[in-house]
Amino acid sequence: MKLGDWPLPYVRVKCSKCDREGRLNTDGLIERFGPDREMFVVREKLTQPSCKRPDKKQPCQSTLPDALLVQAITAKTDDEIFDKRLTAEAKEWRAKNGS
């Protein structure tokens, strides 16, 4: 998914190695990286350089904690939603945001 397609007004990133977590404004990230930048690249650029993991030889274990919610929001049908527990939240979000 590209940054410009990310429907939430924020992007959360979290590293399981160093327990750092942050939440950044999507519009600010689009200004910084452009709308066509892939989300995995954005995630890496936000976390890799400043990750405080103990062993720098190991890769940063950053994730996008809201990725499954985004998948549920952008799914065309409920059958396409990977985590069915997010169906109601995704529907509510779409209703509020006109998606």
Side-chain angles (χ1 to χ4, degrees), residues 43-59:
R43 176 196 48 79
E44 186 175 278
K45 289 191 175 289
L46 290 173
T47 57
Q48 187 80 354
S50 60
C51 182
K52 304 218 183 302
R53 64 195 179 279
D55 184 357
K56 293 292 186 179
K57 293 178 184 175
Q58 297 295 317

Side-chain angles (χ1 to χ4, degrees), residues 20-36:
R20 290 183 68 212
E21 185 172 350
R23 180 174 156 158
L24 298 108
N25 179 286
T26 303
D27 290 337
L29 292 174
I30 289 172
E31 286 179 26
R32 183 173 166 188
F33 296 110
D36 295 327

